[in-house]
Amino acid sequence: MSHKIQTLSGYIHEYQKSVLQPEEFWGRVAESFHWKKPWSKVLDWDFEGPDIKWFVNGKLNITENILDRHLFIMGDRPAIIWEPNEPGEEHITLTYKELYEKVCQFSNAMKAQGVGKGDRVIIYMPMVPEAAIAMLACARIGAVHSVVFAGFSASSLADRINDCDAKMVLTSDGNFRGTKKIGVKSVVDEALESCSSVEKVIVLKRTGQDVAMVSNRDLWWSDVIKGQSTECPAEEMDAEDMLFILYTSGSTGKPKGVVHTCGGYMIYTYYSFVNVFQYQTGDIYWCTADVGWITGHSYIVYGPLLAGATTLMFEGVPTYPHAGRFWEIVDKHKVNQFYTAPTAIRALEAYGLEPIEPYSLETLKVIGSVGEPINEEAWHWYHDHIGKGNCPLVDTWWQTETGGIMISALAGITPNKPAHASLPLPGIQPIIVDADGNELTGNNVQGNLCIKFPWPSIIRTTYGDHDRCKQTYFSTYKGLYFTGDGAKRDHDGYLRILGRVDDVINVSGHRMGTAEVENAINEHPKVIESAVVGFPHDVKGQGIYAFAICDMEGRTVENLSNEIIQTVSKIIGPIAKPDKVQIVPGLPKTRSGKIMRRILRKIAAGEMDQLGDTSTLLNPEVVEAIIEGSKK
Ligand code: WTA
């Protein structure tokens, strides 16, 4: 089955077809998959609801398309190559047949522990093959997985478990990260003190560290699979049944559970994977994301495996045991497509060229970037020193909510332009609008990025709160999906993403809601009020800058700042730690009492000359004091 675009004119042709006859276009892609029952209509949609259905009444199981379908002709081909944290430990290769057996076996084990279709299962695991096996086993039996990044704190984990009423948690004893051995099960134990829905916890032994096992609740992975058959029938799923929930931060309140469904997600992750990366049979593909993020879902697990690809999973960190580890792995496993984040590139760039020198990187054909805008400097470094000037660099723009890559070059097919995501994939209809929602046509325009027509892997709802989905994505501009990003169409017609226009900060490619961080800071008993903004950061893209009004009694600025940072780490997780905390006498407010973040953002960026008019503030005098304080 091939829907791979081969030429620039092929792209133009396919793109036009996808816009003029979207149902015929996607119907044709979907036909090459295995369906238990065909769909009656390709698409039913209304952005008002929103109510979006792809492949209406079609029945399928995504794992039949990943596993069963590939057994006959390529059962012996590697599906997953796993590279451990420690270079001295053996890597593991699972063929499609082995993956099939392991997924079936674990599916049976989960069923035996009382999990069935529609039940929610939390996966809180390190980057080990069992994390992918767990996801696929859920999909096989129709359980809905929600992977939580294993760096999140117990309280973040508990929020997610409670929000989706999970029945089971899959986890490990610990996690190897560089020189560290981090407790994982212990975090689950702490989370479960405030969760009542979880009946069973299955624990994979990875680090061998001591863990407490609660009787009648906690079971070892190796015990539950014992005696289970390596065949398991695939549950019949409706195309619109939930496949997974993935929590992501927004500009307000707690993270929301983005819901993706079986049929559309399957078609789009496959289609975008083969086209963007131009994957060819036999290639070794490596995405360095964590399975806890959408990139890990769509482009480590689902997209590549649907395409019958070999996907590499890496347990460790880019700088352990040395800053050339990524490149060592590329050479060791002869990686052909390499997909990472700008923050990793910038961090490695700081080590200079020496760590790259021992490696040839000659197998690389395509390199990719995801998660945040890639600045031109990092783009050129990546392109010249990793791609050696002859690998197309795909700058892929997309979101948890879009399920798959939306705007990107197709490697070697459509042109590359530094720092530009460039052109939409077939089926994707982006538009740029002004503040009132008027479409800005033509080139050389800048505004907010919206999408005007559904694509198969568009968000269907936010779990348990459909109105939140409507308000967040479909209400800002009538009849459009609003991305929350600003964008520019340049003089050549290429799209450049300018970053978030809402109160979301993108830290090392991870989304943090300012409100979420403020809520965590406010938990500290000495904090009276706080405001959080992003500021430019050389490695992380954006850093977190917190301004807090505090009761200083019994504290110094230094120890209180540290306590605030620790509070955030405890409540959300280390990834949300503020880079800077400034204790302030007040926060700039409008007369209606709203915090003027625009001013705080300028101060955080050191752009004191661009504060604009502050005279209309309720408390203009506070601005001077904050500026003074920021210089310390
Ligand atoms: C940002 C990650 C510029 C953007 C797949 C988006 C990007 C948010 C790019 C989604 C890119 C992602 N260029 N910005 N190539 N890719 N973003 O949900 O602001 O973790 O809205 O999904 O990351 O982050 P999320």
Side-chain angles (χ1 to χ4, degrees), residues 38 44 57 79 109 117 137 156 180 203-204 256-257 263 338 357 360 396 431 451 458 467 529 536 557 565 591:
D44 235 342
N57 296 322
K117 184 170 178 174
S156 291
K180 290 188 245 165
V203 188
L204 178 82
K256 46 190 175 292
F338 176 74
E357 271 155 20
S360 81
T396 64
I431 62 169
I451 317 285
I458 185 174
D467 193 53
E529 193 179 11
V557 168
I565 292 170
R591 286 174 197 274

mmCIF file with all atom_site columns, all heavy atoms in Angstrom, residues 38 44 57 79 109 117 137 156 180 203-204 256-257 263 338 357 360 396 431 451 458 467 529 536 557 565 591:
data_model
loop_
_atom_site.group_PDB
_atom_site.id
_atom_site.type_symbol
_atom_site.label_atom_id
_atom_site.label_alt_id
_atom_site.label_comp_id
_atom_site.label_asym_id
_atom_site.label_entity_id
_atom_site.label_seq_id
_atom_site.pdbx_PDB_ins_code
_atom_site.Cartn_x
_atom_site.Cartn_y
_atom_site.Cartn_z
_atom_site.occupancy
_atom_site.B_iso_or_equiv
_atom_site.pdbx_formal_charge
_atom_site.auth_seq_id
_atom_site.auth_comp_id
_atom_site.auth_asym_id
_atom_site.auth_atom_id
_atom_site.pdbx_PDB_model_num
ATOM 1   N N   . PRO A 1 38  ? -16.968 -1.926  6.544  1.00 0.00 ? 38  PRO A N   1
ATOM 2   C CA  . PRO A 1 38  ? -16.692 -0.664  5.847  1.00 0.00 ? 38  PRO A CA  1
ATOM 3   C C   . PRO A 1 38  ? -17.525 0.498   6.407  1.00 0.00 ? 38  PRO A C   1
ATOM 4   O O   . PRO A 1 38  ? -18.563 0.280   7.023  1.00 0.00 ? 38  PRO A O   1
ATOM 5   C CB  . PRO A 1 38  ? -17.082 -0.960  4.403  1.00 0.00 ? 38  PRO A CB  1
ATOM 6   C CG  . PRO A 1 38  ? -17.979 -2.139  4.455  1.00 0.00 ? 38  PRO A CG  1
ATOM 7   C CD  . PRO A 1 38  ? -17.656 -2.909  5.698  1.00 0.00 ? 38  PRO A CD  1
ATOM 8   N N   . ASP A 1 44  ? -18.637 13.384  8.396  1.00 0.00 ? 44  ASP A N   1
ATOM 9   C CA  . ASP A 1 44  ? -19.801 14.121  8.873  1.00 0.00 ? 44  ASP A CA  1
ATOM 10  C C   . ASP A 1 44  ? -19.247 15.182  9.805  1.00 0.00 ? 44  ASP A C   1
ATOM 11  O O   . ASP A 1 44  ? -18.537 14.832  10.741 1.00 0.00 ? 44  ASP A O   1
ATOM 12  C CB  . ASP A 1 44  ? -20.649 13.173  9.736  1.00 0.00 ? 44  ASP A CB  1
ATOM 13  C CG  . ASP A 1 44  ? -22.056 13.110  9.233  1.00 0.00 ? 44  ASP A CG  1
ATOM 14  O OD1 . ASP A 1 44  ? -22.440 14.009  8.483  1.00 0.00 ? 44  ASP A OD1 1
ATOM 15  O OD2 . ASP A 1 44  ? -22.758 12.140  9.597  1.00 0.00 ? 44  ASP A OD2 1
ATOM 16  N N   . ASN A 1 57  ? -19.590 4.735   10.969 1.00 0.00 ? 57  ASN A N   1
ATOM 17  C CA  . ASN A 1 57  ? -20.009 3.330   11.081 1.00 0.00 ? 57  ASN A CA  1
ATOM 18  C C   . ASN A 1 57  ? -18.953 2.300   10.667 1.00 0.00 ? 57  ASN A C   1
ATOM 19  O O   . ASN A 1 57  ? -19.224 1.103   10.689 1.00 0.00 ? 57  ASN A O   1
ATOM 20  C CB  . ASN A 1 57  ? -21.306 3.038   10.298 1.00 0.00 ? 57  ASN A CB  1
ATOM 21  C CG  . ASN A 1 57  ? -22.474 3.814   10.862 1.00 0.00 ? 57  ASN A CG  1
ATOM 22  O OD1 . ASN A 1 57  ? -22.585 3.967   12.082 1.00 0.00 ? 57  ASN A OD1 1
ATOM 23  N ND2 . ASN A 1 57  ? -23.333 4.336   9.987  1.00 0.00 ? 57  ASN A ND2 1
ATOM 24  N N   . ALA A 1 79  ? 10.327  -4.424  14.246 1.00 0.00 ? 79  ALA A N   1
ATOM 25  C CA  . ALA A 1 79  ? 9.319   -3.388  14.464 1.00 0.00 ? 79  ALA A CA  1
ATOM 26  C C   . ALA A 1 79  ? 9.902   -2.335  15.400 1.00 0.00 ? 79  ALA A C   1
ATOM 27  O O   . ALA A 1 79  ? 9.907   -1.149  15.108 1.00 0.00 ? 79  ALA A O   1
ATOM 28  C CB  . ALA A 1 79  ? 8.060   -4.002  15.070 1.00 0.00 ? 79  ALA A CB  1
ATOM 29  N N   . ALA A 1 109 ? -3.507  -10.647 29.626 1.00 0.00 ? 109 ALA A N   1
ATOM 30  C CA  . ALA A 1 109 ? -3.229  -10.416 31.044 1.00 0.00 ? 109 ALA A CA  1
ATOM 31  C C   . ALA A 1 109 ? -4.108  -9.282  31.587 1.00 0.00 ? 109 ALA A C   1
ATOM 32  O O   . ALA A 1 109 ? -4.662  -9.373  32.684 1.00 0.00 ? 109 ALA A O   1
ATOM 33  C CB  . ALA A 1 109 ? -1.753  -10.065 31.238 1.00 0.00 ? 109 ALA A CB  1
ATOM 34  N N   . LYS A 1 117 ? -13.254 -3.288  27.177 1.00 0.00 ? 117 LYS A N   1
ATOM 35  C CA  . LYS A 1 117 ? -13.521 -2.193  26.246 1.00 0.00 ? 117 LYS A CA  1
ATOM 36  C C   . LYS A 1 117 ? -14.059 -0.956  26.967 1.00 0.00 ? 117 LYS A C   1
ATOM 37  O O   . LYS A 1 117 ? -14.963 -1.061  27.798 1.00 0.00 ? 117 LYS A O   1
ATOM 38  C CB  . LYS A 1 117 ? -14.538 -2.681  25.211 1.00 0.00 ? 117 LYS A CB  1
ATOM 39  C CG  . LYS A 1 117 ? -14.840 -1.674  24.127 1.00 0.00 ? 117 LYS A CG  1
ATOM 40  C CD  . LYS A 1 117 ? -15.662 -2.328  23.032 1.00 0.00 ? 117 LYS A CD  1
ATOM 41  C CE  . LYS A 1 117 ? -16.014 -1.295  21.968 1.00 0.00 ? 117 LYS A CE  1
ATOM 42  N NZ  . LYS A 1 117 ? -16.678 -1.924  20.822 1.00 0.00 ? 117 LYS A NZ  1
ATOM 43  N N   . ALA A 1 137 ? -1.622  -2.985  23.620 1.00 0.00 ? 137 ALA A N   1
ATOM 44  C CA  . ALA A 1 137 ? -2.494  -3.971  24.269 1.00 0.00 ? 137 ALA A CA  1
ATOM 45  C C   . ALA A 1 137 ? -3.821  -3.311  24.654 1.00 0.00 ? 137 ALA A C   1
ATOM 46  O O   . ALA A 1 137 ? -4.890  -3.911  24.501 1.00 0.00 ? 137 ALA A O   1
ATOM 47  C CB  . ALA A 1 137 ? -1.801  -4.571  25.497 1.00 0.00 ? 137 ALA A CB  1
ATOM 48  N N   . SER A 1 156 ? 0.148   15.653  39.848 1.00 0.00 ? 156 SER A N   1
ATOM 49  C CA  . SER A 1 156 ? -0.290  15.736  38.444 1.00 0.00 ? 156 SER A CA  1
ATOM 50  C C   . SER A 1 156 ? -0.842  14.392  37.973 1.00 0.00 ? 156 SER A C   1
ATOM 51  O O   . SER A 1 156 ? -1.840  14.334  37.244 1.00 0.00 ? 156 SER A O   1
ATOM 52  C CB  . SER A 1 156 ? 0.878   16.092  37.532 1.00 0.00 ? 156 SER A CB  1
ATOM 53  O OG  . SER A 1 156 ? 1.301   17.400  37.755 1.00 0.00 ? 156 SER A OG  1
ATOM 54  N N   . LYS A 1 180 ? 21.145  8.714   36.813 1.00 0.00 ? 180 LYS A N   1
ATOM 55  C CA  . LYS A 1 180 ? 20.145  8.608   37.883 1.00 0.00 ? 180 LYS A CA  1
ATOM 56  C C   . LYS A 1 180 ? 19.257  7.372   37.762 1.00 0.00 ? 180 LYS A C   1
ATOM 57  O O   . LYS A 1 180 ? 18.960  6.902   36.673 1.00 0.00 ? 180 LYS A O   1
ATOM 58  C CB  . LYS A 1 180 ? 19.238  9.843   37.863 1.00 0.00 ? 180 LYS A CB  1
ATOM 59  C CG  . LYS A 1 180 ? 19.946  11.100  38.308 1.00 0.00 ? 180 LYS A CG  1
ATOM 60  C CD  . LYS A 1 180 ? 18.944  12.235  38.439 1.00 0.00 ? 180 LYS A CD  1
ATOM 61  C CE  . LYS A 1 180 ? 19.241  13.318  37.431 1.00 0.00 ? 180 LYS A CE  1
ATOM 62  N NZ  . LYS A 1 180 ? 18.310  14.297  37.134 1.00 0.00 ? 180 LYS A NZ  1
ATOM 63  N N   . VAL A 1 203 ? 3.193   -3.718  37.591 1.00 0.00 ? 203 VAL A N   1
ATOM 64  C CA  . VAL A 1 203 ? 4.518   -3.108  37.742 1.00 0.00 ? 203 VAL A CA  1
ATOM 65  C C   . VAL A 1 203 ? 5.573   -3.900  36.965 1.00 0.00 ? 203 VAL A C   1
ATOM 66  O O   . VAL A 1 203 ? 5.778   -5.090  37.211 1.00 0.00 ? 203 VAL A O   1
ATOM 67  C CB  . VAL A 1 203 ? 4.932   -3.085  39.236 1.00 0.00 ? 203 VAL A CB  1
ATOM 68  C CG1 . VAL A 1 203 ? 6.219   -2.267  39.419 1.00 0.00 ? 203 VAL A CG1 1
ATOM 69  C CG2 . VAL A 1 203 ? 3.817   -2.543  40.118 1.00 0.00 ? 203 VAL A CG2 1
ATOM 70  N N   . LEU A 1 204 ? 6.224   -3.228  36.049 1.00 0.00 ? 204 LEU A N   1
ATOM 71  C CA  . LEU A 1 204 ? 7.321   -3.837  35.307 1.00 0.00 ? 204 LEU A CA  1
ATOM 72  C C   . LEU A 1 204 ? 8.612   -3.676  36.097 1.00 0.00 ? 204 LEU A C   1
ATOM 73  O O   . LEU A 1 204 ? 8.891   -2.601  36.614 1.00 0.00 ? 204 LEU A O   1
ATOM 74  C CB  . LEU A 1 204 ? 7.473   -3.129  33.956 1.00 0.00 ? 204 LEU A CB  1
ATOM 75  C CG  . LEU A 1 204 ? 8.622   -3.629  33.092 1.00 0.00 ? 204 LEU A CG  1
ATOM 76  C CD1 . LEU A 1 204 ? 8.210   -4.892  32.344 1.00 0.00 ? 204 LEU A CD1 1
ATOM 77  C CD2 . LEU A 1 204 ? 9.075   -2.556  32.110 1.00 0.00 ? 204 LEU A CD2 1
ATOM 78  N N   . LYS A 1 256 ? -6.211  19.494  30.093 1.00 0.00 ? 256 LYS A N   1
ATOM 79  C CA  . LYS A 1 256 ? -7.421  18.865  29.564 1.00 0.00 ? 256 LYS A CA  1
ATOM 80  C C   . LYS A 1 256 ? -7.076  17.591  28.818 1.00 0.00 ? 256 LYS A C   1
ATOM 81  O O   . LYS A 1 256 ? -5.997  17.463  28.250 1.00 0.00 ? 256 LYS A O   1
ATOM 82  C CB  . LYS A 1 256 ? -8.185  19.835  28.669 1.00 0.00 ? 256 LYS A CB  1
ATOM 83  C CG  . LYS A 1 256 ? -7.309  20.570  27.693 1.00 0.00 ? 256 LYS A CG  1
ATOM 84  C CD  . LYS A 1 256 ? -8.098  21.676  27.022 1.00 0.00 ? 256 LYS A CD  1
ATOM 85  C CE  . LYS A 1 256 ? -7.226  22.527  26.131 1.00 0.00 ? 256 LYS A CE  1
ATOM 86  N NZ  . LYS A 1 256 ? -6.238  23.335  26.811 1.00 0.00 ? 256 LYS A NZ  1
ATOM 87  N N   . GLY A 1 257 ? -8.035  16.661  28.838 1.00 0.00 ? 257 GLY A N   1
ATOM 88  C CA  . GLY A 1 257 ? -7.812  15.369  28.204 1.00 0.00 ? 257 GLY A CA  1
ATOM 89  C C   . GLY A 1 257 ? -8.223  15.416  26.743 1.00 0.00 ? 257 GLY A C   1
ATOM 90  O O   . GLY A 1 257 ? -9.394  15.348  26.406 1.00 0.00 ? 257 GLY A O   1
ATOM 91  N N   . GLY A 1 263 ? -10.408 5.464   14.044 1.00 0.00 ? 263 GLY A N   1
ATOM 92  C CA  . GLY A 1 263 ? -10.293 5.411   12.582 1.00 0.00 ? 263 GLY A CA  1
ATOM 93  C C   . GLY A 1 263 ? -9.459  6.537   12.008 1.00 0.00 ? 263 GLY A C   1
ATOM 94  O O   . GLY A 1 263 ? -8.454  6.316   11.317 1.00 0.00 ? 263 GLY A O   1
ATOM 95  N N   . PHE A 1 338 ? 15.855  10.803  11.380 1.00 0.00 ? 338 PHE A N   1
ATOM 96  C CA  . PHE A 1 338 ? 16.083  11.206  12.767 1.00 0.00 ? 338 PHE A CA  1
ATOM 97  C C   . PHE A 1 338 ? 15.209  12.422  13.063 1.00 0.00 ? 338 PHE A C   1
ATOM 98  O O   . PHE A 1 338 ? 15.232  13.411  12.342 1.00 0.00 ? 338 PHE A O   1
ATOM 99  C CB  . PHE A 1 338 ? 17.568  11.555  12.947 1.00 0.00 ? 338 PHE A CB  1
ATOM 100 C CG  . PHE A 1 338 ? 17.913  12.067  14.316 1.00 0.00 ? 338 PHE A CG  1
ATOM 101 C CD1 . PHE A 1 338 ? 17.970  11.214  15.406 1.00 0.00 ? 338 PHE A CD1 1
ATOM 102 C CD2 . PHE A 1 338 ? 18.200  13.421  14.518 1.00 0.00 ? 338 PHE A CD2 1
ATOM 103 C CE1 . PHE A 1 338 ? 18.297  11.691  16.678 1.00 0.00 ? 338 PHE A CE1 1
ATOM 104 C CE2 . PHE A 1 338 ? 18.533  13.910  15.783 1.00 0.00 ? 338 PHE A CE2 1
ATOM 105 C CZ  . PHE A 1 338 ? 18.575  13.034  16.866 1.00 0.00 ? 338 PHE A CZ  1
ATOM 106 N N   . GLU A 1 357 ? 32.385  14.466  15.982 1.00 0.00 ? 357 GLU A N   1
ATOM 107 C CA  . GLU A 1 357 ? 33.485  14.033  15.115 1.00 0.00 ? 357 GLU A CA  1
ATOM 108 C C   . GLU A 1 357 ? 33.704  12.526  14.988 1.00 0.00 ? 357 GLU A C   1
ATOM 109 O O   . GLU A 1 357 ? 33.949  12.039  13.882 1.00 0.00 ? 357 GLU A O   1
ATOM 110 C CB  . GLU A 1 357 ? 34.785  14.748  15.509 1.00 0.00 ? 357 GLU A CB  1
ATOM 111 C CG  . GLU A 1 357 ? 34.910  16.056  14.758 1.00 0.00 ? 357 GLU A CG  1
ATOM 112 C CD  . GLU A 1 357 ? 35.784  17.075  15.465 1.00 0.00 ? 357 GLU A CD  1
ATOM 113 O OE1 . GLU A 1 357 ? 36.590  16.676  16.329 1.00 0.00 ? 357 GLU A OE1 1
ATOM 114 O OE2 . GLU A 1 357 ? 35.645  18.275  15.149 1.00 0.00 ? 357 GLU A OE2 1
ATOM 115 N N   . SER A 1 360 ? 30.088  9.045   11.706 1.00 0.00 ? 360 SER A N   1
ATOM 116 C CA  . SER A 1 360 ? 29.971  9.418   10.293 1.00 0.00 ? 360 SER A CA  1
ATOM 117 C C   . SER A 1 360 ? 28.595  9.992   9.971  1.00 0.00 ? 360 SER A C   1
ATOM 118 O O   . SER A 1 360 ? 28.469  10.838  9.103  1.00 0.00 ? 360 SER A O   1
ATOM 119 C CB  . SER A 1 360 ? 30.238  8.193   9.413  1.00 0.00 ? 360 SER A CB  1
ATOM 120 O OG  . SER A 1 360 ? 29.072  7.391   9.326  1.00 0.00 ? 360 SER A OG  1
ATOM 121 N N   . THR A 1 396 ? 8.368   20.318  11.398 1.00 0.00 ? 396 THR A N   1
ATOM 122 C CA  . THR A 1 396 ? 6.983   19.844  11.416 1.00 0.00 ? 396 THR A CA  1
ATOM 123 C C   . THR A 1 396 ? 6.158   20.577  12.464 1.00 0.00 ? 396 THR A C   1
ATOM 124 O O   . THR A 1 396 ? 6.392   20.440  13.649 1.00 0.00 ? 396 THR A O   1
ATOM 125 C CB  . THR A 1 396 ? 6.938   18.330  11.727 1.00 0.00 ? 396 THR A CB  1
ATOM 126 O OG1 . THR A 1 396 ? 7.450   18.118  13.056 1.00 0.00 ? 396 THR A OG1 1
ATOM 127 C CG2 . THR A 1 396 ? 7.786   17.533  10.748 1.00 0.00 ? 396 THR A CG2 1
ATOM 128 N N   . ILE A 1 431 ? -5.509  28.689  7.490  1.00 0.00 ? 431 ILE A N   1
ATOM 129 C CA  . ILE A 1 431 ? -5.666  30.075  7.058  1.00 0.00 ? 431 ILE A CA  1
ATOM 130 C C   . ILE A 1 431 ? -5.138  30.983  8.159  1.00 0.00 ? 431 ILE A C   1
ATOM 131 O O   . ILE A 1 431 ? -5.065  30.597  9.320  1.00 0.00 ? 431 ILE A O   1
ATOM 132 C CB  . ILE A 1 431 ? -7.136  30.445  6.720  1.00 0.00 ? 431 ILE A CB  1
ATOM 133 C CG1 . ILE A 1 431 ? -8.040  30.307  7.946  1.00 0.00 ? 431 ILE A CG1 1
ATOM 134 C CG2 . ILE A 1 431 ? -7.661  29.618  5.575  1.00 0.00 ? 431 ILE A CG2 1
ATOM 135 C CD1 . ILE A 1 431 ? -9.419  30.915  7.729  1.00 0.00 ? 431 ILE A CD1 1
ATOM 136 N N   . ILE A 1 451 ? -7.550  26.534  11.181 1.00 0.00 ? 451 ILE A N   1
ATOM 137 C CA  . ILE A 1 451 ? -7.742  25.512  10.148 1.00 0.00 ? 451 ILE A CA  1
ATOM 138 C C   . ILE A 1 451 ? -9.230  25.510  9.819  1.00 0.00 ? 451 ILE A C   1
ATOM 139 O O   . ILE A 1 451 ? -10.063 25.509  10.725 1.00 0.00 ? 451 ILE A O   1
ATOM 140 C CB  . ILE A 1 451 ? -7.310  24.106  10.634 1.00 0.00 ? 451 ILE A CB  1
ATOM 141 C CG1 . ILE A 1 451 ? -5.985  24.143  11.422 1.00 0.00 ? 451 ILE A CG1 1
ATOM 142 C CG2 . ILE A 1 451 ? -7.241  23.139  9.462  1.00 0.00 ? 451 ILE A CG2 1
ATOM 143 C CD1 . ILE A 1 451 ? -4.711  24.328  10.659 1.00 0.00 ? 451 ILE A CD1 1
ATOM 144 N N   . ILE A 1 458 ? -8.246  15.146  13.829 1.00 0.00 ? 458 ILE A N   1
ATOM 145 C CA  . ILE A 1 458 ? -8.565  16.341  14.620 1.00 0.00 ? 458 ILE A CA  1
ATOM 146 C C   . ILE A 1 458 ? -9.126  15.920  15.984 1.00 0.00 ? 458 ILE A C   1
ATOM 147 O O   . ILE A 1 458 ? -9.774  14.876  16.112 1.00 0.00 ? 458 ILE A O   1
ATOM 148 C CB  . ILE A 1 458 ? -9.584  17.240  13.862 1.00 0.00 ? 458 ILE A CB  1
ATOM 149 C CG1 . ILE A 1 458 ? -9.839  18.554  14.615 1.00 0.00 ? 458 ILE A CG1 1
ATOM 150 C CG2 . ILE A 1 458 ? -10.893 16.506  13.606 1.00 0.00 ? 458 ILE A CG2 1
ATOM 151 C CD1 . ILE A 1 458 ? -10.715 19.548  13.841 1.00 0.00 ? 458 ILE A CD1 1
ATOM 152 N N   . ASP A 1 467 ? -17.816 21.064  26.394 1.00 0.00 ? 467 ASP A N   1
ATOM 153 C CA  . ASP A 1 467 ? -17.900 22.511  26.243 1.00 0.00 ? 467 ASP A CA  1
ATOM 154 C C   . ASP A 1 467 ? -16.513 23.165  26.268 1.00 0.00 ? 467 ASP A C   1
ATOM 155 O O   . ASP A 1 467 ? -16.268 24.160  25.604 1.00 0.00 ? 467 ASP A O   1
ATOM 156 C CB  . ASP A 1 467 ? -18.784 23.099  27.352 1.00 0.00 ? 467 ASP A CB  1
ATOM 157 C CG  . ASP A 1 467 ? -19.148 24.527  27.025 1.00 0.00 ? 467 ASP A CG  1
ATOM 158 O OD1 . ASP A 1 467 ? -19.653 24.766  25.909 1.00 0.00 ? 467 ASP A OD1 1
ATOM 159 O OD2 . ASP A 1 467 ? -18.883 25.412  27.865 1.00 0.00 ? 467 ASP A OD2 1
ATOM 160 N N   . GLU A 1 529 ? 0.069   36.479  45.752 1.00 0.00 ? 529 GLU A N   1
ATOM 161 C CA  . GLU A 1 529 ? -0.419  36.460  44.369 1.00 0.00 ? 529 GLU A CA  1
ATOM 162 C C   . GLU A 1 529 ? 0.774   36.279  43.441 1.00 0.00 ? 529 GLU A C   1
ATOM 163 O O   . GLU A 1 529 ? 1.891   36.702  43.775 1.00 0.00 ? 529 GLU A O   1
ATOM 164 C CB  . GLU A 1 529 ? -1.127  37.777  44.040 1.00 0.00 ? 529 GLU A CB  1
ATOM 165 C CG  . GLU A 1 529 ? -1.923  37.687  42.750 1.00 0.00 ? 529 GLU A CG  1
ATOM 166 C CD  . GLU A 1 529 ? -2.671  38.972  42.401 1.00 0.00 ? 529 GLU A CD  1
ATOM 167 O OE1 . GLU A 1 529 ? -2.412  40.009  43.034 1.00 0.00 ? 529 GLU A OE1 1
ATOM 168 O OE2 . GLU A 1 529 ? -3.502  38.912  41.483 1.00 0.00 ? 529 GLU A OE2 1
ATOM 169 N N   . PRO A 1 536 ? 12.482  34.688  26.510 1.00 0.00 ? 536 PRO A N   1
ATOM 170 C CA  . PRO A 1 536 ? 13.370  33.970  25.585 1.00 0.00 ? 536 PRO A CA  1
ATOM 171 C C   . PRO A 1 536 ? 14.513  33.290  26.338 1.00 0.00 ? 536 PRO A C   1
ATOM 172 O O   . PRO A 1 536 ? 15.139  33.900  27.205 1.00 0.00 ? 536 PRO A O   1
ATOM 173 C CB  . PRO A 1 536 ? 13.929  35.095  24.687 1.00 0.00 ? 536 PRO A CB  1
ATOM 174 C CG  . PRO A 1 536 ? 13.045  36.263  24.907 1.00 0.00 ? 536 PRO A CG  1
ATOM 175 C CD  . PRO A 1 536 ? 12.445  36.132  26.262 1.00 0.00 ? 536 PRO A CD  1
ATOM 176 N N   . VAL A 1 557 ? 14.875  36.496  50.428 1.00 0.00 ? 557 VAL A N   1
ATOM 177 C CA  . VAL A 1 557 ? 14.437  36.378  49.032 1.00 0.00 ? 557 VAL A CA  1
ATOM 178 C C   . VAL A 1 557 ? 14.927  35.054  48.458 1.00 0.00 ? 557 VAL A C   1
ATOM 179 O O   . VAL A 1 557 ? 14.204  34.334  47.774 1.00 0.00 ? 557 VAL A O   1
ATOM 180 C CB  . VAL A 1 557 ? 14.977  37.570  48.206 1.00 0.00 ? 557 VAL A CB  1
ATOM 181 C CG1 . VAL A 1 557 ? 14.789  37.322  46.720 1.00 0.00 ? 557 VAL A CG1 1
ATOM 182 C CG2 . VAL A 1 557 ? 14.286  38.852  48.635 1.00 0.00 ? 557 VAL A CG2 1
ATOM 183 N N   . ILE A 1 565 ? 10.200  27.408  43.862 1.00 0.00 ? 565 ILE A N   1
ATOM 184 C CA  . ILE A 1 565 ? 10.601  26.504  42.777 1.00 0.00 ? 565 ILE A CA  1
ATOM 185 C C   . ILE A 1 565 ? 10.320  25.049  43.170 1.00 0.00 ? 565 ILE A C   1
ATOM 186 O O   . ILE A 1 565 ? 9.762   24.264  42.381 1.00 0.00 ? 565 ILE A O   1
ATOM 187 C CB  . ILE A 1 565 ? 12.094  26.719  42.432 1.00 0.00 ? 565 ILE A CB  1
ATOM 188 C CG1 . ILE A 1 565 ? 12.277  28.098  41.800 1.00 0.00 ? 565 ILE A CG1 1
ATOM 189 C CG2 . ILE A 1 565 ? 12.612  25.618  41.511 1.00 0.00 ? 565 ILE A CG2 1
ATOM 190 C CD1 . ILE A 1 565 ? 13.717  28.549  41.624 1.00 0.00 ? 565 ILE A CD1 1
ATOM 191 N N   . ARG A 1 591 ? -7.543  48.710  35.460 1.00 0.00 ? 591 ARG A N   1
ATOM 192 C CA  . ARG A 1 591 ? -8.478  49.225  36.459 1.00 0.00 ? 591 ARG A CA  1
ATOM 193 C C   . ARG A 1 591 ? -9.533  48.189  36.834 1.00 0.00 ? 591 ARG A C   1
ATOM 194 O O   . ARG A 1 591 ? -10.143 48.259  37.886 1.00 0.00 ? 591 ARG A O   1
ATOM 195 C CB  . ARG A 1 591 ? -9.130  50.518  35.964 1.00 0.00 ? 591 ARG A CB  1
ATOM 196 C CG  . ARG A 1 591 ? -8.138  51.645  36.036 1.00 0.00 ? 591 ARG A CG  1
ATOM 197 C CD  . ARG A 1 591 ? -8.642  52.925  35.447 1.00 0.00 ? 591 ARG A CD  1
ATOM 198 N NE  . ARG A 1 591 ? -7.495  53.810  35.196 1.00 0.00 ? 591 ARG A NE  1
ATOM 199 C CZ  . ARG A 1 591 ? -6.975  54.620  36.106 1.00 0.00 ? 591 ARG A CZ  1
ATOM 200 N NH1 . ARG A 1 591 ? -7.496  54.699  37.304 1.00 0.00 ? 591 ARG A NH1 1
ATOM 201 N NH2 . ARG A 1 591 ? -5.929  55.363  35.805 1.00 0.00 ? 591 ARG A NH2 1
#
